[in-house]
Amino acid sequence: MNPLTGTAFKDIYLNMGSSGANRYVSYYTNQLYTTKYKVYLMSLNDKVVSPQADGTYGTDSTLNHTVRIFNRQADTLALRFENSVNVTANTYTEFYLGEFTNDEYNWLLSYPASSPSGVAYTLNPATRYIRVAAPATATGRPFNLTMNYLKFEPVF
Amino acid sequence: MRPYFNGANADTANSNASWVTVKDFAIRGLYTEAHLPAVLESKFGVKIAMNRSSIVSVKKLSNGIAYIMNASGISVQEKIPVVYIEGESPYSFSVPSSATVFYRNE
């Protein structure tokens, strides 16, 4: 429960310890139009007692997350955005990553592009591939990744 | 809306801009002039301000009522919304075999 908003979190936590250098979790979206967006990362870096009785996981260490956004071009990925943030422990607010300008939306909206939940299942020229990655080195810190959501706020 | 759908193919961009403009103009339900709410919501969740002073004329149709307005009543923020990518719905991940992946509700 977020103590600031009183709302529940639903997220993913990749517990990788010391062996997750450069590892990542990836997403697709077809919902970004051609405009400038402010990008925010909501990550909950905390310790949790697992209900599966496999003990407490998580850390008090700061975790480093790098967010990369790619265009798909003929089955290759072209990097369009890259920025890193330090996800400090027990921070219940969004981390600002910077501005991303989406340069092209070259696909008819009437084509099915995503499920009702917003998860993209049709890959096309409008698709953006997103990775949230652990750093290459993290002296004394785990390579864990945690993500509640990425937010793209249009700049008008 | 045209600037929000730029691309190499002008026909695709124009088609997208046209669709995004008109897709919220049909509202489910019957709203007579006497009971017209201040805000209507399209099936796509877009809110439309129904400012009475913007209504130029009202046409009764066989399947509803058409309000001819001199302003759309829809903000660009409604058309181009904030996008959320939810962490618990990944496409894939690259993790070492020793890793544990948790999908959390807390």
Side-chain angles (χ1 to χ4, degrees), chain A residues 9 26-27 34 57 105 107 109, chain B residues 3-4 6 16 87 92 104 106:
Chain A
F9 279 92
S26 64
Y27 301 86
T34 52
Y57 66 92
Y105 193 99
W107 191 250
L109 278 172
Chain B
Y4 296 101
N6 287 332
N16 282 337
S92 68
R104 308 189 296 180
E106 57 178 312

Side-chain angles (χ1 to χ4, degrees), chain A residues 33-55:
Chain A
Y33 304 137
T34 52
T35 189
K36 183 186 289 182
Y37 290 90
K38 288 185 174 179
V39 187
Y40 299 86
L41 174 70
M42 186 69 183
S43 287
L44 183 55
N45 172 15
D46 62 354
K47 283 189 171 178
V48 178
V49 178
S50 169
Q52 278 75 42
D54 48 4

